[in-house]
Amino acid sequence: MSKLDLDGCGDLNAKQFNMLVRKLGGFSRKPILDVSDGSDDWVVQLSRRGGTINGIADRADETDSEIVAVGSPAASIRYSTLSMHRVLIRNNSAFLTPDVTPESTIALANLLSCLKPGGKLVIPIKDVDRCQCLWTRRLEGFPGTLKQRQIKTGMLDYLSFAFLFSGIHSLSVLEFTIGRKPLSRLQWHRFAREAVMNRSTGNSAAA
């Protein structure tokens, strides 16, 4: 079983990533944070082409240190609170496990704190049922709404000829939308701590 099969996330290619970033507003001055394993330099390429995008990656892969921070989103992250329009979660070691862990919960608190009010976490998926179940458990305790939807090449892409560069694609994604009330990073970490404690209490009761 590959690491991608563990959480049901879709394995994007460069053209799909390009289309997704465009659909999320990355070329409309809406800042996006990409969370990956660092096995590609797509973030740097799109940034050089005018995309408003930064990244967090497990490792460096010819990356621009000003664009991609190397390290875990569960550690201290350099991106400020209320700074991102969307956070895109792809392959990253904090989430490449079929279990809900304290590390993944802390990582989510850090990433959610980067979102502007009304912002969204976006997770590409291939196994809708399994992935939605897992992310429902991962996000339990955080205030927001999780939904699944399709993102695909539309009429506007044809009129703008964007499809000539990105191709015709359709992706399933999960979107976790947070509220309009600004929250500090400390407040997000309080939600994370309560979620971890509740799971520990539940596991102890079950034992």
Side-chain angles (χ1 to χ4, degrees):
M1 180 180 292
S2 72
K3 64 181 182 180
L4 287 171
D5 290 330
L6 288 175
D7 60 3
C9 284
D11 186 9
L12 301 184
N13 60 40
K15 289 185 177 181
Q16 290 172 322
F17 179 75
N18 187 345
M19 185 270 288
L20 184 53
V21 170
R22 188 175 297 276
K23 288 288 188 179
L24 297 180
F27 287 91
S28 302
R29 299 187 182 276
K30 296 179 179 178
I32 294 173
L33 179 60
D34 177 67
V35 185
S36 72
D37 63 0
S39 60
D40 53 62
D41 57 359
W42 300 342
V43 169
V44 175
Q45 291 175 10
L46 291 192
S47 177
R48 290 171 179 168
R49 288 168 49 193
T52 307
I53 185 167
N54 287 275
I56 297 176
D58 288 328
R59 57 191 176 85
D61 184 27
E62 300 181 3
T63 58
D64 183 337
S65 61
E66 295 300 314
I67 301 298
V68 179
V70 178
S72 171
S76 177
I77 60 176
R78 74 185 187 191
Y79 300 106
S80 61
T81 58
L82 312 177
S83 63
M84 297 293 168
H85 174 66
R86 299 287 186 264
V87 171
L88 175 60
I89 298 179
R90 299 190 289 130
N91 300 325
N92 184 273
S93 60
F95 304 108
L96 293 180
T97 169
D99 301 316
V100 179
T101 65
E103 180 187 15
S104 66
T105 304
I106 294 170
L108 284 172
N110 280 332
L111 296 174
L112 288 165
S113 74
C114 293
L115 285 170
K116 297 180 178 182
K120 301 176 188 286
L121 283 181
V122 180
I123 307 107
I125 57 174
K126 61 180 179 180
D127 185 329
V128 174
D129 292 336
R130 182 172 53 160
C131 199
Q132 187 157 5
C133 180
L134 173 60
W135 281 95
T136 297
R137 289 189 289 115
R138 280 176 172 166
L139 290 161
E140 187 175 7
F142 291 113
T145 304
L146 183 67
K147 292 184 178 180
Q148 184 266 330
R149 76 181 183 102
Q150 292 289 117
I151 295 180
K152 51 189 172 183
T153 306
M155 184 59 68
L156 184 61
D157 298 297
Y158 288 106
L159 294 176
S160 66
F161 296 101
F163 76 97
L164 292 176
F165 303 98
S166 62
I168 300 173
H169 301 289
S170 177
L171 296 171
S172 293
V173 300
L174 292 177
E175 290 184 339
F176 185 73
T177 307
I178 65 171
R180 295 287 178 179
K181 179 182 178 181
L183 297 174
S184 68
R185 185 157 291 164
L186 178 59
Q187 287 173 302
W188 284 110
H189 275 273
R190 285 174 179 163
F191 290 125
R193 184 171 63 250
E194 290 176 7
V196 170
M197 290 177 64
N198 289 338
R199 291 188 196 112
S200 299
T201 302
N203 291 338
S204 297

